Amino acid sequence: MTKLTPLYDFHVNQGAKMTDFAGYMMPIQYSGIQEEHMAVRQKAGLFDVSHMGEFMVEGEDALAVLQKITTNNVKSLKIGQAQYTLMTNEEGGIIDDLIIYRLDEQKYLMVVNASNIKKDWDWLIENKTLNCRTENVSEQTGLIALQGPKAIQILKRLTDSDIESLEYYHCMMGQVAGASSVLISATGYTGSGGFELYINSDQLVSVWNDIWEIGQQEGLQLAGLGCRDTLRLEMGYCLYGNDIDETTSPLEAGLGWVTKLKKTDFIGQSALIKQKEKGVVRKLIGFKMDGKRVARSGYNILDGKGKVVGEVRSGTFSPCLQTPIGLGYIPKDYEINNKRITISNGRKNFDAEIVKTPFINVNEYGN
Amino acid sequence: MKNTNDIYFSKEHTWIRIENKTGTVGITTFAQSELGEIVYVDLPSVGDEFNQDEVFGSVEALKTVSDLFMPLTGEVTAINEDLLDSPTLVNEKPFVEGWMVKIEIKDLEELSNLLSEAEYQKKIEK
C-alpha cells in the first residue's frame, strides 16, 4: 500500500511528476529539476518531506538509550539544539543517518529516513530500557523544508518567533501561519540554508498554502525530490541506501566527525575503534567527470590500468557546475597517490578527476 | 507532427521520418517526458552504420541514462550538432529541432517491423 502525504492533492494539482519513494507517493519534480535546483540556490524552494520518520524518545533513560544506539555525543546536546548522527550495528555498519533534537530536559526527537522507519523503530525498541518512553509519531507528523537564501524573509512574514537568532542546527517551538506547536529547525539537506518545519499532519496543508502564497513574492518555487538529490550531492552529503548502508562504516564514508569513539559505550564502537587503529581500506570520494556522461550508481571505478578498484554510489549532473559529479568508494591507498580515475558503464570508459567535497561554494550562487 | 504518413515509430520510442531514402531519427514526446531533463546526447559519427534495433547512442537525463535504438538499418549521413550545446531541444521539440541523426536507409522492407503513429499511441497508453 503506497501512502500519501496530506499534500498529495496539492502536488497532483500543480502537475508534479509523482513517484513511489520508500512507500510514499512523492513529487519528483514540478517545473523541472534544474530550475527548482537553481531556485533553491538563488532564492527559495518548498519541499514536502513528510515521508521522513519521527520518533519521540522521553524519560529518565532517554539520554542513555540514545547514547547507546548513536555514534555522536548526545550528552553535548543542549535543549533547542539538533545533532546529525548515525546508528551503527555491532560491526560498525551504518543502520541509518538521522537527526536528534533535544526538545526538553529528558525529551528527544529522532528524525530518520523514510526507507528505514520500520528497521530503525525495531532497533530502538530492542535497545530501549524501562525508563525510556518511545513513540513513533511518523504518521501524525508532517515535514516541510523551506530552503534557500530567501527562506528567512519568507518565514519571518509567517511567524512571530525570533527565527533570525536561530543558529544553524538549532530549533525552537513556535507558531507558524496560525499553526501552534510547530518545531522550527534551522537545518536542511540542500546546503543553501533555511528551515525545516515539523507540523501536526492536520495543519500541514494550511501552513504549506500560506508559505506558498507569501513565498512566491520572494521567488519561492515548489521543489521535488529530484532537486533534493542534486542539491545534496553538490554538497557531498551522503544519501542512505546509496553512499552509506550497513556494509559501509562511518570512517569510510567520511563521517568520522559524527562518530565520537571516545564517548560512553555505543553499539558498533569497538568495531570502529579497531577499524580506526588498522586504518580504513576504502574511502568515499567525490569526482567530476571530464566529459558530459553521467556516472550512475553501480558503475565501476577503474585504475589507470583498467582494473576495477571501486564503485560509483551516487552520480548526477550538477545544475550549478553544468557538469556531471558523483561519489564513490575507492581504496584509500589509491586515493593518496592518484587524482584520476576511470569510470566504466560496462561498455565504455569515461575519465574523471577526484575532487574535494562540497563540489560547490553555495555563496557563489545565493546572495 | 500529426497526420503524417511518412513517420514511423519503433517499440523503443524512436521515430523516423522518411523522405525518399533518407530517414530522420529522434525520440518521441513520451520518451523525453519519461526521461526528464536531458543533459547530454551521445551521438554517433557520420559514416557509422547501424542495423535495425541496434544501439546508436544514448541520452543522459538528470535521473537516468537511456540507449537510443536505430529504427531502420542505415548509414549516418548527418548528426544534429545543435544538441551538443542544447540537449534540452530534445525535451522541448522532440519531433523538430530535437532530431538526432539522419540516415541513408538500406532496406525499406524493414518498415514492416515499425509502428504507425496510431499503433504507437496505443502501445504507450497501455
Side-chain angles (χ1 to χ4, degrees):
Chain A
M1 243 314 262
T2 311
K3 294 177 184 168
L4 308 180
T5 82
L7 288 162
Y8 176 80
D9 288 343
F10 178 94
H11 303 317
V12 171
N13 288 337
Q14 292 287 331
K17 197 184 265 189
M18 305 294 288
T19 193
D20 183 338
F21 183 85
Y24 287 82
M25 281 311 279
M26 301 299 293
I28 280 286
Q29 62 172 78
Y30 304 83
S31 59
I33 294 174
Q34 298 208 68
E35 186 182 327
E36 294 164 31
H37 180 112
M38 295 316 292
V40 173
R41 288 276 181 256
Q42 294 166 345
K43 288 172 179 161
L46 188 61
F47 299 82
D48 175 15
V49 280
S50 299
H51 59 308
M52 300 290 285
E54 294 87 8
F55 308 149
M56 205 61 89
V57 183
E58 278 179 86
E60 220 168 286
D61 288 354
L63 172 62
V65 169
L66 292 173
Q67 280 291 60
K68 188 182 160 201
I69 63 170
T70 65
T71 60
N72 208 337
N73 188 11
V74 191
K75 208 176 170 185
S76 69
L77 258 186
K78 297 183 183 75
I79 295 171
Q81 215 179 355
Q83 183 177 71
Y84 179 63
T85 186
L86 307 165
M87 291 196 287
T88 48
N89 57 29
E90 290 290 355
E91 292 75 45
I94 301 171
I95 293 172
D96 202 2
D97 65 334
L98 65 153
I99 291 178
I100 294 179
Y101 292 92
R102 187 172 180 195
L103 302 179
D104 210 335
E105 201 58 45
Q106 296 182 347
K107 188 176 179 183
Y108 298 85
L109 179 72
M110 298 169 72
V111 181
V112 304
N113 283 299
S115 52
N116 291 333
I117 292 175
K118 187 176 181 314
K119 177 177 80 166
D120 292 356
W121 177 249
D122 290 346
W123 187 250
L124 173 63
I125 295 304
E126 197 180 316
N127 289 291
K128 81 181 194 97
T129 55
L130 277 179
N131 291 319
C132 174
R133 293 184 302 281
T134 52
E135 190 185 356
N136 182 348
V137 293
S138 304
E139 292 291 317
Q140 62 262 43
T141 308
L143 178 54
I144 294 173
L146 174 61
Q147 298 280 295
K150 294 273 188 199
I152 190 159
Q153 271 89 319
I154 296 165
L155 192 58
K156 254 168 60 181
R157 293 174 60 179
L158 293 159
T159 183
D160 292 330
S161 296
D162 183 16
I163 56 167
E164 268 169 310
S165 68
L166 196 61
E167 289 174 57
Y168 190 51
Y169 264 76
H170 282 69
C171 65
M172 57 168 72
M173 294 301 295
Q175 192 170 333
V176 176
S180 54
S181 334
V182 174
L183 178 64
I184 307 169
S185 166
T187 49
Y189 194 45
T190 64
S192 280
F195 301 90
E196 292 181 300
L197 307 171
Y198 297 85
I199 304 165
N200 192 303
S201 290
D202 300 343
Q203 298 175 301
L204 184 72
V205 175
S206 83
V207 172
W208 173 281
N209 284 338
D210 282 5
I211 296 174
W212 177 229
E213 195 186 319
I214 297 281
Q216 286 175 78
Q217 298 160 22
E218 303 281 352
L220 180 68
Q221 287 203 27
L222 300 170
L225 295 186
C227 76
R228 189 167 152 88
D229 189 52
T230 54
L231 288 158
R232 70 95 193 167
L233 198 45
E234 281 185 343
M235 296 309 292
Y237 297 160
C238 290
L239 171 63
Y240 195 87
N242 276 45
D243 315 303
I244 50 176
D245 55 41
E246 291 191 23
T247 71
T248 63
S249 95
L251 306 178
E252 294 172 334
L255 296 172
W257 61 283
V258 294
T259 309
K260 310 293 186 197
L261 296 174
K262 288 180 183 144
K263 77 166 195 179
T264 52
D265 286 2
F266 65 87
I267 300 167
Q269 187 178 31
S270 51
L272 291 169
I273 288 173
K274 255 181 227 151
Q275 193 180 58
K276 176 140 197 188
E277 282 165 358
K278 276 174 68 181
V280 295
V281 179
R282 59 178 185 167
K283 209 185 147 187
L284 188 67
I285 52 106
F287 60 83
K288 244 187 229 183
M289 304 299 287
D290 288 358
K292 291 281 185 187
R293 296 301 298 262
V294 182
R296 309 285 174 179
S297 174
Y299 284 12
N300 281 326
I301 299 178
L302 317 178
D303 65 12
K305 295 181 189 118
K307 190 181 143 226
V308 176
V309 292
E311 68 170 329
V312 174
R313 290 299 190 98
S314 286
T316 194
F317 186 82
S318 158
C320 284
L321 300 172
Q322 287 293 302
T323 199
I325 57 171
L327 298 173
Y329 283 99
I330 59 168
K332 178 116 203 261
D333 294 343
Y334 187 85
E335 193 253 342
I336 292 166
N337 300 313
N338 299 275
K339 284 291 156 241
R340 304 283 303 165
I341 49 174
T342 301
I343 288 168
S344 166
N345 65 3
R347 290 196 306 238
K348 279 187 182 176
N349 291 351
F350 313 101
D351 292 328
E353 176 101 2
I354 298 171
V355 296
K356 283 205 164 57
T357 57
F359 292 95
I360 63 155
N361 173 4
V362 284
N363 297 323
E364 288 174 22
Y365 300 93
N367 48 356
Chain B
M1 295 310 291
K2 281 181 187 140
N3 305 320
T4 49
N5 295 318
D6 59 350
I7 187 161
Y8 295 83
F9 296 79
S10 77
K11 294 186 181 77
E12 300 290 350
H13 310 288
T14 45
W15 54 261
I16 183 162
R17 194 180 311 122
I18 296 166
E19 291 153 276
N20 302 317
K21 289 285 274 180
T22 298
T24 305
V25 177
I27 64 169
T28 64
T29 305
F30 174 78
Q32 68 77 26
S33 163
E34 288 292 300
L35 286 166
E37 292 153 87
I38 291 163
V39 295
Y40 179 67
V41 186
D42 188 27
L43 294 175
S45 305
V46 171
D48 289 353
E49 292 180 34
F50 296 93
N51 293 323
Q52 187 172 38
D53 297 331
E54 195 180 344
V55 173
F56 70 92
S58 61
V59 272
E60 294 279 358
L62 266 169
K63 301 297 291 180
T64 188
V65 60
S66 181
D67 282 333
L68 296 166
F69 293 89
M70 195 58 93
L72 293 175
T73 299
E75 180 182 330
V76 176
T77 56
I79 63 164
N80 184 357
E81 298 197 1
D82 291 344
L83 299 185
L84 301 177
D85 289 328
S86 310
T88 48
L89 286 174
V90 178
N91 294 118
E92 291 151 13
K93 302 265 177 75
F95 285 94
V96 194
E97 285 97 326
W99 67 275
M100 290 172 173
V101 296
K102 288 185 195 293
I103 60 165
E104 190 184 303
I105 300 165
K106 287 283 182 286
D107 183 6
L108 282 168
E109 296 273 315
E110 288 175 348
L111 279 176
S112 60
N113 301 325
L114 298 179
L115 307 173
S116 68
E117 182 169 16
E119 287 167 333
Y120 178 74
Q121 284 301 336
K122 224 174 177 178
K123 173 185 151 55
I124 60 174
E125 277 160 21
K126 268 185 194 165

